[in-house]
Amino acid sequence: MDFEQQRAQLVDELTEREQLKPETAAAIRAVARHEFVPEQRRHSAYDDRPLPIGQGQTISAPHMVAIMSDLLDCSVGDSVLEIGTGCGYHAAVTAELVGADNVYSVEYHDQLAQRARETLSVTGYEEVSVRAGDGREGWEAQAPYDAAYLTCAASAFPEAVIEQVRNGGVVLGPLGNGTQVLVRGEKHEDGTLDRERHGNVRFVPLK
Ligand code: SAH
């Protein structure tokens, strides 16, 4: 099977198993995950598992990106902040949902940020904005966001990230030091979050 066939098969499996929204399934179907993983990992690009991407970091499993996209519940034109660009794959999936020029992503490692920019550019997502820096500060200049998500685990949502999401917006990410839980928060007018837990997960820690 070529990459396209493998991807189609993965999307069909995920759609059925996770009851994905059609928009999410279409986004996963559109992004060539094999272009984002290191050359020597390409043969595994459409296995539903995390893969190493260098600097001790990993690209999340496709089902996790899909579940997070469903929970983020964004539509075209929403602006989204991502903390943890990694190889840029998840940002590309988000770009499919909201438009590449509405995606702002912060990556701690310079080298990963640079490589992600290059990959996003050659795969047609050059309008995704990537900043190297500490995601705990969010990306103030582009705020407010309709939604923000973390792709690395924190003990709590960073204050700045909550602040930079508009009232009524969504914050999503893995929280916890040992056991991590995927938490979705909806921001109230008074700045507090209405939280829902969505099961145990495993992500690399936020630095
Ligand atoms: N979404 C990514 C997965 C990245 S793994 C993808 O699709 O590939 C989590 C990423 O978070 C890593 O690249 C790691 O370097 C980054 N990270 C960890 N702590 C961070 C911080 N404080 N600010 C920004 N990025 C951080």
Side-chain angles (χ1 to χ4, degrees):
M1 279 200 292
D2 65 20
F3 285 134
E4 279 63 34
Q5 290 167 318
Q6 290 179 38
R7 186 160 70 248
Q9 190 174 57
L10 172 69
V11 174
D12 290 345
E13 281 167 21
L14 289 181
T15 305
E16 186 168 321
R17 197 178 78 210
E18 309 291 347
Q19 301 289 304
L20 299 180
K21 292 178 186 157
E23 295 81 1
T24 298
I28 303 284
R29 202 181 293 278
V31 182
R33 191 171 187 254
H34 66 276
E35 307 260 19
F36 289 84
V37 303
E39 193 90 54
Q40 70 273 23
R41 300 281 175 182
R42 287 209 167 152
H43 60 281
S44 308
Y46 297 105
D47 294 351
D48 187 21
R49 60 182 175 96
L51 294 170
I53 54 170
Q55 313 283 333
Q57 305 303 318
T58 54
I59 175 175
S60 304
H63 77 269
M64 190 48 61
V65 174
I67 288 169
M68 288 179 73
S69 300
D70 264 7
L71 289 172
L72 210 61
D73 201 22
C74 282
S75 37
V76 177
D78 284 351
S79 76
V80 178
L81 172 66
E82 175 185 72
I83 308 303
T85 319
C87 66
Y89 171 73
H90 196 156
V93 172
T94 305
E96 285 290 333
L97 293 164
V98 301
D101 54 344
N102 294 316
V103 180
Y104 299 90
S105 185
V106 186
E107 169 54 47
Y108 188 84
H109 288 284
D110 276 348
Q111 254 188 323
L112 288 178
Q114 189 48 40
R115 211 185 306 149
R117 273 190 211 104
E118 285 162 21
T119 310
L120 286 163
S121 172
V122 299
T123 48
Y125 302 97
E126 64 279 352
E127 287 181 32
V128 170
S129 305
V130 177
R131 175 172 86 76
D134 188 350
R136 285 174 303 175
E137 293 159 15
W139 192 336
E140 176 71 49
Q142 309 296 338
Y145 302 96
D146 295 295
Y149 62 91
L150 315 179
T151 71
C152 39
S155 49
F157 290 124
E159 277 307 319
V161 172
I162 298 177
E163 268 164 34
Q164 291 167 22
V165 168
R166 69 165 169 81
N167 291 333
V170 170
V171 190
L172 175 71
L175 298 186
N177 298 315
T179 307
Q180 304 166 2
V181 177
L182 184 61
V183 177
R184 179 186 196 273
E186 251 180 62
K187 190 171 162 182
H188 287 301
E189 295 294 326
D190 65 3
T192 59
L193 291 179
D194 206 3
R195 289 157 200 263
E196 276 171 12
R197 297 159 65 94
H198 289 276
N200 289 353
V201 291
R202 241 187 121 94
F203 284 75
V204 296
L206 178 108
K207 291 181 195 294

